[in-house]
Amino acid sequence: MNKIYREKRSWRTRRDRKAKRIEHMKQIAKGKIIPTEKIVEALTALIFPGDRVVIEGNNQKQASFLSKALSQVNPEKVNGLHIIMSSVSRPEHLDLFEKGIARKIDFSYAGPQSLRMSQMLEDGKLVIGEIHTYLELYGRLFIDLTPSVALVAADKADASGNLYTGPNTEETPTLVEATAFRDGIVIAQVNELADELPRVDIPGSWIDFVVAADHPYELEPLFTRDPRLITEIQILMAMMVIKGIYERHNIQSLNHGIGFNTAAIELLLPTYGESLGLKGKICKHWALNPHPTLIPAIETGWVESIHCFGGEVGMEKYIAARPDIFFTGKDGNLRSNRTLSQVAGQYAVDLFIGSTLQIDRDGNSSTVTNGRLAGFGGAPNMGHDPRGRRHSSPAWLDMITSDHPAAKGRKLVVQMVETFQKGNRPVFVESLDAIEVGRSARLATTPIMIYGEDVTHIVTEEGIAYLYKASSLEERRQAIAAIAGVTPIGLERDPRKTEQLRRDGVVAFPEDLGIRRTDAKRSLLAAKSIEELVEWSEGLYEPPARFRSW
């Protein structure tokens, strides 16, 4: 056998590089503890030019102290960074690019900073790798976007670096694991250094340094909707969803997106849903954040379980008092997990229902519009039919439209939109803005949030399009046009075809479902204000000050 020459090499280069970085910290840190006032100095010592840095910044919990500190490093010493974030939410996230500290970004969502990001992209201040779904971004952390440094947030830490994340565990375990086990540096900001922790959510052996922040990490009450703002149009649409989709398809498990449309559904379950005799038959298992508008449904026995992506400000005491419903630790606090809840929302639920900014005639939709590079977060994960699913449920089986022995069911993906946005902007358009945005951003593919082929139902104030029943692309387009109102797409509808689609059950107007538009009144809501939600919770829900009107 010929002997193959093998050059001697070190198999510890990553580990050796990490050891050198930590060596720089001997004069700065005390063991694993970085003094608060030395955080900028510490980041300068630990982060090298060109590093991949993942910053915890999902759509609620922010490693705000660390992101501010990173924006204060000297760009002559730390520059060209490749930033990885699930959500670009704070001004300093983009300050990094203005100052030259960072150059490239891979992200999922940029709602609050979408306008600025679009302008900076146009000005050449940053380069976008890709716009990801949450799970896609998390997955790449373990493949080809492994971080050199992770900046994360937790409630408490002890001297050994053990972390207690409290109700808002969110994406912290995923970011830490991807970094720690490829010899990256993990730095955690904490609200408090403590001798004892209520529970250990992340072991100290995964954490290199902790720092007590000068302020608690930022946390947005993103999923709180004031029932006072729910309109009668949204109530009408919610009634159609409950009767025309949830009851019809026997929906047992589901995810609700953010918005007043879905808040209306939650508040109608104990009233309208009860009048239909549906309690115990639908909407039992949920993957979603602890929406305060779900409190009446929980209290009246509709809900059996909720697994959460993250927490919600003010819901902590209520969750601790309802361990039969929520995933909680022995300390009473919620254990959320954005990654695992995204997986549950993708594979384990019967239905996803969300909203969007634009839909084209084929049902493709996007929240990326002209001048607004918002991204799309987790909606594409949950808003598609996962082809790997093998477990059946009544709703999944109800989507079978063929007698072929190999026919499979599918997940229900529902888009729930009013035909016009604020400012009289049509939701249904001939061409998505995302096409032009993708070209100008030099993205390899158009940033479509949910592809039309995955959408089974579209709901508007006009009615429901049961797209899974359409026998052809043309029939699908006619079904969408039938419920698109007086938008450019709606004006293309053929009235005779619409009537045929109603007879065939491909389109249903409220009256086809036995719903009178005049019955859609706010009196149907189980709670009509935040104050009433507090009463439903027996005083356990403590809404943020900005939601208090009493």
Side-chain angles (χ1 to χ4, degrees):
M1 181 185 290
N2 293 330
K3 198 168 185 178
I4 299 173
Y5 174 72
R6 234 182 343 189
E7 186 177 343
K8 287 187 177 180
R9 56 174 287 188
S10 169
W11 296 97
R12 298 175 52 91
T13 56
R14 301 177 65 88
R15 203 155 288 181
D16 292 343
R17 280 199 300 267
K18 177 172 181 174
K20 285 181 181 178
R21 295 189 192 212
I22 290 180
E23 185 73 20
H24 297 160
M25 293 292 291
K26 283 190 173 178
Q27 304 305 313
I28 300 174
K30 298 174 182 176
K32 289 192 173 187
I33 310 298
I34 300 172
T36 305
E37 68 278 5
K38 291 190 176 183
I39 187 58
V40 175
E41 182 184 352
L43 294 179
T44 303
L46 288 169
I47 300 176
F48 289 11
D51 272 352
R52 285 196 199 115
V53 180
V54 62
I55 306 174
E56 182 155 25
N58 50 63
N59 57 14
Q60 286 183 289
K61 175 185 172 186
Q62 305 287 328
S64 44
F65 174 71
L66 289 174
S67 61
K68 282 181 183 176
L70 184 59
S71 71
Q72 294 167 23
V73 300
N74 185 344
E76 292 184 3
K77 294 183 178 179
V78 180
N79 51 65
L81 300 182
H82 181 173
I83 301 297
I84 305 166
M85 297 192 72
S86 63
S87 181
V88 183
S89 304
R90 298 176 56 79
E92 70 266 14
H93 295 161
L94 293 180
D95 291 347
L96 296 171
F97 297 89
E98 294 275 12
K99 295 178 179 181
I101 296 167
R103 175 61 181 158
K104 185 176 182 180
I105 186 164
D106 279 274
F107 73 106
S108 295
Y109 180 67
Q113 299 298 323
S114 58
L115 297 175
R116 186 181 174 197
M117 178 174 274
S118 180
Q119 187 60 54
M120 288 180 67
L121 181 67
E122 187 177 325
D123 295 342
K125 295 286 183 68
L126 58 77
V127 173
I128 292 178
E130 296 287 351
I131 306 175
H132 303 73
T133 72
Y134 284 139
L135 280 179
E136 183 179 22
L137 187 67
Y138 299 152
R140 289 191 68 194
L141 295 179
F142 294 89
I143 303 296
D144 60 332
L145 285 181
T146 309
S148 314
V149 178
L151 306 178
V152 300
D155 281 31
K156 298 180 182 182
D158 62 18
S160 299
N162 296 305
L163 299 186
Y164 170 63
T165 53
N168 298 286
T169 303
E170 302 258 6
E171 62 188 14
T172 315
T174 303
L175 308 189
V176 170
E177 185 163 339
T179 309
F181 289 89
R182 281 288 278 164
D183 298 308
I185 301 287
V186 180
I187 307 168
Q189 71 168 75
V190 295
N191 297 341
E192 180 187 346
L193 291 169
D195 293 331
E196 291 187 21
L197 304 179
R199 69 180 190 232
V200 173
D201 289 309
I202 298 176
S205 58
W206 297 14
I207 307 298
D208 296 297
F209 297 102
V210 296
V211 57
D214 54 5
H215 289 90
Y217 59 73
E218 292 289 336
L219 190 64
E220 283 293 316
L222 188 69
F223 294 86
T224 298
R225 292 293 178 270
D226 189 339
R228 292 180 193 273
L229 303 178
I230 295 174
T231 67
E232 291 183 351
I233 285 178
Q234 290 161 346
I235 292 168
L236 173 65
M237 293 167 64
M239 292 169 72
M240 287 193 281
V241 168
I242 291 172
K243 190 164 188 184
I245 298 178
Y246 291 6
E247 179 183 24
R248 177 172 296 189
H249 301 301
N250 197 5
I251 303 300
Q252 303 289 308
S253 56
L254 66 163
N255 166 263
H256 274 187
I258 309 170
F260 288 100
N261 288 334
T262 47
I265 298 172
E266 292 156 14
L267 289 170
L268 287 184
L269 289 176
T271 58
Y272 181 65
E274 184 76 33
S275 74
L276 297 175
L278 297 177
K279 186 166 72 174
K281 298 177 181 178
I282 64 167
C283 301
K284 295 191 286 189
H285 305 288
W286 301 70
L288 83 173
N289 279 57
H291 294 187
T293 43
L294 259 182
I295 291 173
I298 294 170
E299 294 300 304
T300 52
W302 281 77
V303 179
E304 292 186 15
S305 70
I306 301 175
H307 189 266
C308 301
F309 305 91
E312 186 68 357
V313 180
M315 285 288 283
E316 295 84 2
K317 288 183 180 178
Y318 180 76
I319 291 165
R322 302 291 184 269
D324 279 355
I325 304 298
F326 295 95
F327 287 70
T328 56
K330 290 181 180 178
D331 63 319
N333 265 324
L334 181 71
R335 168 69 179 199
S336 61
N337 190 303
R338 187 163 294 275
T339 306
L340 293 182
S341 212
Q342 285 285 334
V343 171
Q346 178 170 329
Y347 272 97
V349 303
D350 291 332
L351 171 144
F352 161 82
I353 184 166
S355 193
T356 188
L357 295 179
Q358 288 188 334
I359 300 177
D360 68 14
R361 58 170 49 86
D362 293 332
N364 299 306
S365 66
S366 188
T367 49
V368 173
T369 56
N370 285 330
R372 188 167 183 248
L373 200 62
F376 20 67
N381 293 138
M382 293 173 288
H384 85 284
D385 177 37
R387 303 300 173 88
R389 175 168 171 166
R390 292 297 181 270
H391 79 279
S392 62
S393 66
W396 189 80
L397 294 171
D398 205 36
M399 292 295 101
I400 296 177
T401 56
S402 164
D403 294 330
H404 193 281
K408 69 179 187 68
R410 62 186 293 189
K411 178 183 182 178
L412 284 80
V413 175
V414 183
Q415 294 279 47
M416 187 180 184
V417 295
E418 294 179 43
T419 53
F420 284 85
Q421 305 171 46
K422 289 180 181 177
N424 209 31
R425 294 190 301 272
V427 169
F428 294 88
V429 295
E430 295 174 349
S431 178
L432 297 176
D433 288 356
I435 295 173
E436 184 53 41
V437 173
R439 285 197 196 109
S440 11
R442 295 183 291 279
L443 300 176
T445 58
T446 297
I448 288 172
M449 182 175 73
I450 297 179
Y451 287 97
E453 64 192 37
D454 284 314
V455 179
T456 57
H457 302 69
I458 297 178
V459 183
T460 72
E461 70 274 21
E462 300 290 334
I464 301 176
Y466 295 88
L467 299 183
Y468 74 97
K469 288 187 171 185
S471 59
S472 65
L473 177 59
E474 179 55 31
E475 187 167 88
R476 182 185 183 86
R477 288 176 171 174
Q478 282 292 333
I480 293 173
I483 50 92
V486 293
T487 63
I489 298 303
L491 294 174
E492 295 177 355
R493 67 180 172 271
D494 178 343
R496 289 174 300 178
K497 184 64 176 174
T498 296
E499 288 308 308
Q500 184 61 51
L501 291 174
R502 290 175 69 185
R503 287 193 293 271
D504 293 343
V506 180
V507 168
F509 291 168
E511 49 270 30
D512 301 326
L513 300 170
I515 296 171
R516 292 184 299 182
R517 293 175 186 267
T518 53
D519 287 344
K521 301 294 185 185
R522 283 184 47 80
S523 57
L524 279 177
L525 298 175
K528 300 167 190 64
S529 66
I530 293 287
E531 186 176 8
E532 290 186 16
L533 290 176
V534 174
E535 292 173 5
W536 270 103
S537 76
E538 299 179 325
L540 292 168
Y541 173 42
E542 299 177 332
R546 65 174 150 140
F547 289 100
R548 293 176 179 266
S549 57
W550 63 95

PDB file of all heavy atoms in Angstrom, residues 478-492:
ATOM      1  N   GLN A 478     -59.011  33.667  -9.051  1.00  0.00           N
ATOM      2  CA  GLN A 478     -60.374  34.167  -8.967  1.00  0.00           C
ATOM      3  C   GLN A 478     -60.886  34.148  -7.524  1.00  0.00           C
ATOM      4  O   GLN A 478     -61.626  35.041  -7.105  1.00  0.00           O
ATOM      5  CB  GLN A 478     -61.295  33.346  -9.867  1.00  0.00           C
ATOM      6  CG  GLN A 478     -61.206  33.679 -11.340  1.00  0.00           C
ATOM      7  CD  GLN A 478     -61.750  35.072 -11.658  1.00  0.00           C
ATOM      8  OE1 GLN A 478     -62.611  35.596 -10.962  1.00  0.00           O
ATOM      9  NE2 GLN A 478     -61.231  35.668 -12.727  1.00  0.00           N
ATOM     10  N   ALA A 479     -60.483  33.134  -6.745  1.00  0.00           N
ATOM     11  CA  ALA A 479     -60.900  33.056  -5.341  1.00  0.00           C
ATOM     12  C   ALA A 479     -60.296  34.200  -4.531  1.00  0.00           C
ATOM     13  O   ALA A 479     -60.966  34.801  -3.682  1.00  0.00           O
ATOM     14  CB  ALA A 479     -60.493  31.704  -4.750  1.00  0.00           C
ATOM     15  N   ILE A 480     -59.022  34.498  -4.804  1.00  0.00           N
ATOM     16  CA  ILE A 480     -58.377  35.622  -4.113  1.00  0.00           C
ATOM     17  C   ILE A 480     -59.048  36.936  -4.506  1.00  0.00           C
ATOM     18  O   ILE A 480     -59.350  37.783  -3.654  1.00  0.00           O
ATOM     19  CB  ILE A 480     -56.867  35.652  -4.423  1.00  0.00           C
ATOM     20  CG1 ILE A 480     -56.167  34.432  -3.795  1.00  0.00           C
ATOM     21  CG2 ILE A 480     -56.221  36.943  -3.918  1.00  0.00           C
ATOM     22  CD1 ILE A 480     -54.708  34.263  -4.185  1.00  0.00           C
ATOM     23  N   ALA A 481     -59.311  37.107  -5.799  1.00  0.00           N
ATOM     24  CA  ALA A 481     -59.955  38.338  -6.268  1.00  0.00           C
ATOM     25  C   ALA A 481     -61.340  38.507  -5.638  1.00  0.00           C
ATOM     26  O   ALA A 481     -61.770  39.631  -5.338  1.00  0.00           O
ATOM     27  CB  ALA A 481     -60.059  38.326  -7.786  1.00  0.00           C
ATOM     28  N   ALA A 482     -62.021  37.407  -5.403  1.00  0.00           N
ATOM     29  CA  ALA A 482     -63.393  37.472  -4.882  1.00  0.00           C
ATOM     30  C   ALA A 482     -63.467  38.088  -3.496  1.00  0.00           C
ATOM     31  O   ALA A 482     -64.504  38.652  -3.123  1.00  0.00           O
ATOM     32  CB  ALA A 482     -64.004  36.069  -4.865  1.00  0.00           C
ATOM     33  N   ILE A 483     -62.381  37.984  -2.711  1.00  0.00           N
ATOM     34  CA  ILE A 483     -62.421  38.520  -1.344  1.00  0.00           C
ATOM     35  C   ILE A 483     -61.450  39.693  -1.180  1.00  0.00           C
ATOM     36  O   ILE A 483     -61.159  40.110  -0.068  1.00  0.00           O
ATOM     37  CB  ILE A 483     -62.132  37.410  -0.302  1.00  0.00           C
ATOM     38  CG1 ILE A 483     -60.875  36.593  -0.636  1.00  0.00           C
ATOM     39  CG2 ILE A 483     -63.314  36.451  -0.220  1.00  0.00           C
ATOM     40  CD1 ILE A 483     -59.613  37.092  -0.038  1.00  0.00           C
ATOM     41  N   ALA A 484     -60.976  40.243  -2.315  1.00  0.00           N
ATOM     42  CA  ALA A 484     -59.974  41.315  -2.272  1.00  0.00           C
ATOM     43  C   ALA A 484     -60.580  42.710  -2.331  1.00  0.00           C
ATOM     44  O   ALA A 484     -59.858  43.711  -2.458  1.00  0.00           O
ATOM     45  CB  ALA A 484     -58.958  41.136  -3.409  1.00  0.00           C
ATOM     46  N   GLY A 485     -61.901  42.827  -2.255  1.00  0.00           N
ATOM     47  CA  GLY A 485     -62.541  44.130  -2.202  1.00  0.00           C
ATOM     48  C   GLY A 485     -62.301  44.961  -3.444  1.00  0.00           C
ATOM     49  O   GLY A 485     -62.248  44.442  -4.561  1.00  0.00           O
ATOM     50  N   VAL A 486     -62.111  46.281  -3.258  1.00  0.00           N
ATOM     51  CA  VAL A 486     -61.923  47.179  -4.397  1.00  0.00           C
ATOM     52  C   VAL A 486     -60.448  47.508  -4.614  1.00  0.00           C
ATOM     53  O   VAL A 486     -60.089  48.576  -5.091  1.00  0.00           O
ATOM     54  CB  VAL A 486     -62.751  48.476  -4.231  1.00  0.00           C
ATOM     55  CG1 VAL A 486     -64.220  48.168  -4.308  1.00  0.00           C
ATOM     56  CG2 VAL A 486     -62.418  49.181  -2.911  1.00  0.00           C
ATOM     57  N   THR A 487     -59.580  46.566  -4.243  1.00  0.00           N
ATOM     58  CA  THR A 487     -58.154  46.702  -4.528  1.00  0.00           C
ATOM     59  C   THR A 487     -57.929  46.392  -6.010  1.00  0.00           C
ATOM     60  O   THR A 487     -58.832  45.888  -6.699  1.00  0.00           O
ATOM     61  CB  THR A 487     -57.343  45.716  -3.674  1.00  0.00           C
ATOM     62  OG1 THR A 487     -57.719  44.380  -4.043  1.00  0.00           O
ATOM     63  CG2 THR A 487     -57.618  45.920  -2.193  1.00  0.00           C
ATOM     64  N   PRO A 488     -56.716  46.674  -6.546  1.00  0.00           N
ATOM     65  CA  PRO A 488     -56.444  46.337  -7.952  1.00  0.00           C
ATOM     66  C   PRO A 488     -56.740  44.873  -8.294  1.00  0.00           C
ATOM     67  O   PRO A 488     -57.237  44.575  -9.379  1.00  0.00           O
ATOM     68  CB  PRO A 488     -54.956  46.657  -8.095  1.00  0.00           C
ATOM     69  CG  PRO A 488     -54.709  47.749  -7.107  1.00  0.00           C
ATOM     70  CD  PRO A 488     -55.592  47.425  -5.936  1.00  0.00           C
ATOM     71  N   ILE A 489     -56.475  43.972  -7.373  1.00  0.00           N
ATOM     72  CA  ILE A 489     -56.749  42.546  -7.620  1.00  0.00           C
ATOM     73  C   ILE A 489     -58.247  42.275  -7.529  1.00  0.00           C
ATOM     74  O   ILE A 489     -58.818  41.533  -8.339  1.00  0.00           O
ATOM     75  CB  ILE A 489     -55.968  41.665  -6.623  1.00  0.00           C
ATOM     76  CG1 ILE A 489     -54.456  41.862  -6.805  1.00  0.00           C
ATOM     77  CG2 ILE A 489     -56.337  40.192  -6.802  1.00  0.00           C
ATOM     78  CD1 ILE A 489     -53.935  41.587  -8.190  1.00  0.00           C
ATOM     79  N   GLY A 490     -58.899  42.876  -6.558  1.00  0.00           N
ATOM     80  CA  GLY A 490     -60.334  42.661  -6.394  1.00  0.00           C
ATOM     81  C   GLY A 490     -61.143  43.139  -7.579  1.00  0.00           C
ATOM     82  O   GLY A 490     -62.170  42.542  -7.928  1.00  0.00           O
ATOM     83  N   LEU A 491     -60.691  44.196  -8.231  1.00  0.00           N
ATOM     84  CA  LEU A 491     -61.411  44.731  -9.385  1.00  0.00           C
ATOM     85  C   LEU A 491     -61.311  43.819 -10.606  1.00  0.00           C
ATOM     86  O   LEU A 491     -62.029  44.018 -11.587  1.00  0.00           O
ATOM     87  CB  LEU A 491     -60.880  46.129  -9.721  1.00  0.00           C
ATOM     88  CG  LEU A 491     -61.166  47.199  -8.650  1.00  0.00           C
ATOM     89  CD1 LEU A 491     -60.478  48.506  -9.000  1.00  0.00           C
ATOM     90  CD2 LEU A 491     -62.671  47.411  -8.475  1.00  0.00           C
ATOM     91  N   GLU A 492     -60.434  42.813 -10.543  1.00  0.00           N
ATOM     92  CA  GLU A 492     -60.294  41.867 -11.658  1.00  0.00           C
ATOM     93  C   GLU A 492     -61.297  40.717 -11.576  1.00  0.00           C
ATOM     94  O   GLU A 492     -61.386  39.902 -12.484  1.00  0.00           O
ATOM     95  CB  GLU A 492     -58.875  41.276 -11.665  1.00  0.00           C
ATOM     96  CG  GLU A 492     -57.774  42.293 -11.944  1.00  0.00           C
ATOM     97  CD  GLU A 492     -56.387  41.648 -11.869  1.00  0.00           C
ATOM     98  OE1 GLU A 492     -56.297  40.448 -11.506  1.00  0.00           O
ATOM     99  OE2 GLU A 492     -55.397  42.333 -12.163  1.00  0.00           O
TER     100      GLU A 492
END
